[in-house]
Amino acid sequence: MIDRLSETVAPQYEIFALRYATMRNRAIFQNFMFPDPHEQASDLDYFVWVIRGQGRTILVDTGFGEIAAQERSRALTIHPVEALRRFGIDPLTIEDVVVTHLHYDHAGNLDSFPNARFHVQDREVSYATGRCMCHHALRHPFSVTDVTALVRHVYGGRVVFHDGDDDLAPGISLHLIGGHSNGLQVVRVETARGPVVLASDAAHFYDNILKQNPFPIVSNIGDMCEGWAELKRLAGGIDRVIPGHDPLVTALYPPVPGQVDAFMLHEPPQRSLAELV
Ligand SMILES: [Zn+2]
Ligand SMILES: [Zn+2]
């Protein structure tokens, strides 16, 4: 009886968003393809995410470091690897890193995780190393340093390729959503409040979904629009979709007690999304 019960209880995890950078007052046309003329600017946050439970600690994305910050005039509030340490995680203990896509702000610092496997989509690696990168408009969000680091890890036997939707662990699955980068994957995680979907850049902001207004970095706009519906389907509602760069996430979700810029996404939102957007 106990065995049967344990088989039917789905594993549940905690999810933490660690914020490592913020850009203030970005012009609204930088964040939305069809800017609202009444809005002047909005902020944009950068995160890495930690999934914890069932004896596992899984890192989702690795952020960028000082060189990229200087090259692109971004300011780190804390280096993402240092943010992990501050949160109590030794990067040497991380065994699984999901790289949602290979843009510079999600796939830097790979060499700081020498004991990790890197989970990526076939399509993303093909895209980031193929003919589309001959075009400045498409390669601009990538760093050749990060992409070649990933390729080196392929040759080191430390990259796990996924082709579309796949299970990462019981209660954690990966889902291919094109549109932003060609092979972006989102992560669906079972929590005590139901499945939460880390959307990464399938939706930078809640408003990309709510107003059906794409972020202006796109590889295929039709796939991006289809992706918003898929995010809601995977999560069962927008309250369990976590956009990749929205400062509202830090207003909605409770901070981790005693921590700076760490938020608990497995907890119910503290406020209603409707009152904030
Ligand atoms: Zn991106
Ligand atoms: Zn991004």
Side-chain angles (χ1 to χ4, degrees):
M1 183 65 180
I2 290 171
D3 280 344
R4 269 219 318 272
L5 267 178
S6 62
E7 275 172 21
T8 56
V9 175
Q12 294 178 344
Y13 298 85
E14 299 174 316
I15 315 173
F16 302 93
L18 307 184
R19 178 168 57 184
Y20 68 88
T22 297
M23 281 191 79
R24 301 257 176 245
N25 292 317
R26 277 167 61 97
I28 206 73
F29 68 83
Q30 290 183 286
N31 292 343
F32 295 96
M33 190 169 281
F34 308 108
D36 180 339
H38 301 100
E39 289 186 36
Q40 296 300 313
S42 63
D43 297 344
L44 183 145
D45 280 348
Y46 296 86
F47 300 94
V48 297
W49 299 272
V50 172
I51 302 169
R52 202 166 66 186
Q54 309 295 315
R56 295 184 172 88
T57 299
I58 296 169
L59 178 63
V60 178
D61 287 343
T62 49
F64 60 81
E66 284 97 356
I67 293 172
Q70 280 171 17
E71 286 174 350
R72 295 175 189 260
S73 302
R74 309 286 194 262
L76 291 166
T77 46
I78 184 171
H79 191 289
V81 175
E82 197 49 45
L84 282 170
R85 285 202 190 94
R86 184 172 69 180
F87 188 65
I89 295 175
D90 179 350
L92 299 181
T93 65
I94 298 278
E95 295 182 352
D96 288 286
V97 174
V98 176
V99 183
T100 61
H101 61 307
L102 290 169
H103 285 171
Y104 82 96
D105 54 323
H106 297 260
N109 307 312
L110 294 185
D111 292 344
S112 296
F113 303 94
N115 299 310
R117 294 174 289 259
F118 301 106
H119 297 265
V120 289
Q121 288 281 328
D122 284 321
R123 257 170 64 169
E124 183 66 358
V125 179
S126 299
Y127 181 61
T129 56
R131 65 189 297 154
C132 284
M133 295 304 105
C134 297
H135 304 292
H136 173 78
L138 297 176
R139 72 170 175 258
H140 177 67
F142 294 91
S143 155
V144 69
T145 306
D146 301 335
V147 174
T148 51
L150 191 276
V151 170
R152 277 203 316 279
H153 291 310
V154 172
Y155 278 72
R158 291 178 46 211
V159 174
V160 182
F161 284 89
H162 300 272
D163 180 15
D165 298 353
D166 212 350
D167 289 328
L168 185 64
I172 304 176
S173 51
L174 307 173
H175 302 268
L176 174 66
I177 292 189
H180 171 64
S181 190
N182 194 37
L184 182 144
Q185 58 187 347
V186 303
V187 189
R188 182 181 187 273
V189 185
E190 292 289 352
T191 73
R193 70 181 181 106
V196 169
V197 173
L198 297 173
S200 182
D201 291 358
H204 282 61
F205 300 101
Y206 286 107
D207 269 353
N208 294 129
I209 304 172
L210 295 171
K211 297 181 177 168
Q212 305 276 291
N213 195 344
F215 189 84
I217 295 177
V218 287
S219 66
N220 183 306
I221 196 166
D223 287 351
M224 177 173 272
C225 297
E226 293 290 328
W228 300 326
E230 179 68 359
L231 290 173
K232 287 190 282 188
R233 189 190 70 75
L234 288 168
I238 196 161
D239 282 346
R240 292 200 298 261
V241 175
I242 309 298
H245 290 277
D246 200 327
L248 288 181
V249 168
T250 67
L252 283 167
Y253 291 96
V256 180
Q259 289 277 338
V260 178
D261 275 349
F263 303 88
M264 300 186 283
L265 308 179
H266 50 282
E267 295 286 344
Q270 307 178 106
R271 303 165 67 179
S272 112
L273 179 59
E275 104 194 31
L276 294 175
V277 292

